[in-house]
Amino acid sequence: MYQTIFISILLVHSHYAQDGMGLIGDAIESFSPCDERVLSMNRVIGGRPQLENYWDGTLYLKKWPNISEVRISLTVDNPAKIELDPNLGRVLVTGKTFHISIYDHPPTIEMVTFKIRGPAYGAFPNVEQITLNGLDVCKNPRKWEPTILGTGDTVSETETEQKIKPTCGRRLVKHEGLITNGFESKEGDWPWHAAIFHITNQQIEYKCGGTILNSNTILTAAHCVYENNRPIISDRVLVQLGKYNLKLSGEHTQEFQVHKIVPHSNYNVDNLRDDIAIIRLSTEASLNDYVQPICLWDVNKVGISDVTNKFGTVIGWGVTEADKLSVVLRQAIMPIVSLTTCLNSNREFFGAFLSDKTFCAGFLNGTSVCNGDSGGSITFEENGVYRIRGLVSLTVARRDTFLCNTKEYVVFTDVAQYLTWIAETIAQTN
């Protein structure tokens, strides 16, 4: 082998193959107080307690595509103030009710975003009522009971406490001597990695990698859930967790049908912009030593300069130097490189695909990613906790082949730029 890990990549054409770390403790919480997920409430925790008495709100308007105006009245049960972009609309306040008038209306806009902030150390401002143009759109709103989308436990906790509390980003199977630079991993090393399969004519074919966010949610690249430039139907997708040998279902493997697939609404099949998607499993996975969620990135540290020139870990079953899929899960360490470095290496190619929501990583010496595991993660570890930073999106193909050129950098979707989208999408699909 060439000391190479190979990650699956979808092909654009014969020359193009597609297919500061966060501190421990921060997490994103998500909740919807209304039926049909009309309103999404999200907040980041892990900072100073006096600053956590708030929530970011998104009111979705897709159910009312033909309304000619947007007048929202939002009532909360405790004192609070509202923050709304003045370019979006204006607000009047009477008692504990915010009267919001938005300048645009559907189909120009699909949602309204704002922040509700209670006083420092005050009572949490729950929703009591929401009306849209005088219509009650949130019958009997529920009190705040959020789902945590990604956390890192404090490293000072006892082993017993760690087993009792929900965890993410922890390798619970202890191995001696970790292997790096494109060699085989050991079973249980990467418990958040998922295998995504497409079903075609009753044949099951491995397609991509993915990453576990919680017991029923998988994050992957949007192109991994597309076929012939259209989203694949959920009935034709299978997901396996706890998998190590690609050809076998081991004792730790769990297999799931898919309830719903949500590619990013702005995903572009031509230039792979917004190459990110969420898969909702039909049933809950059983979390154990071999099936664990990853931690999301620290929302306060999303600048790419924080991780430029730092080394992350990529994993997958992708094509090896023998031009065949690896049988067992592989891993490699590679650095994130600057935008300038990436562009200078191949401006014609990378100039067409790089954006403020992507980044480049890799070496130019054969340690790279390749056909077989697009959608897999690049993660960074601090004090034993791993956080996901990117998804394998695309790379350059070798001349006159559909296989990757391992002497080129790889483009990753920057997951840290999609934390709000992830939280909102999970809230809507749960």
Side-chain angles (χ1 to χ4, degrees), residues 242-255:
K243 195 172 186 66
Y244 176 68
N245 188 309
L246 187 60
K247 295 184 177 181
L248 300 175
S249 291
E251 61 176 312
H252 305 298
T253 303
Q254 301 178 40
E255 183 172 283

Side-chain angles (χ1 to χ4, degrees), residues 190-206:
W190 311 110
W192 39 84
H193 194 66
I196 299 170
F197 298 83
H198 286 191
I199 304 171
T200 304
N201 297 325
Q202 298 183 334
Q203 297 294 316
I204 300 176
E205 180 182 6
Y206 172 73

Side-chain angles (χ1 to χ4, degrees), residues 20-39:
M21 189 180 309
L23 298 177
I24 299 171
D26 285 350
I28 296 176
E29 292 186 323
S30 182
F31 177 66
S32 177
C34 314
D35 293 335
E36 300 183 4
R37 304 291 175 180
V38 171
L39 176 69

Side-chain angles (χ1 to χ4, degrees), residues 30-87:
S30 182
F31 177 66
S32 177
C34 314
D35 293 335
E36 300 183 4
R37 304 291 175 180
V38 171
L39 176 69
S40 172
M41 301 166 63
N42 305 293
R43 70 168 180 169
V44 176
I45 61 173
R48 290 176 290 175
Q50 67 267 33
L51 299 180
E52 291 185 355
N53 191 29
Y54 81 96
W55 49 273
D56 292 319
T58 302
L59 183 69
Y60 298 95
L61 303 174
K62 293 181 180 180
K63 287 185 60 180
W64 305 278
N66 300 316
I67 56 176
S68 59
E69 61 178 346
V70 178
R71 293 181 294 104
I72 303 165
S73 291
L74 171 66
T75 303
V76 293
D77 62 355
N78 288 300
K81 64 180 181 179
I82 189 170
E83 297 174 10
L84 178 76
D85 184 345
N87 295 314

Side-chain angles (χ1 to χ4, degrees), residues 298-322:
D298 182 349
V299 71
N300 298 310
K301 300 180 182 295
V302 298
I304 196 62
S305 60
D306 291 338
V307 288
T308 300
N309 298 321
K310 294 186 178 179
F311 288 81
T313 303
V314 288
I315 48 181
W317 288 283
V319 172
T320 68
E321 69 280 358

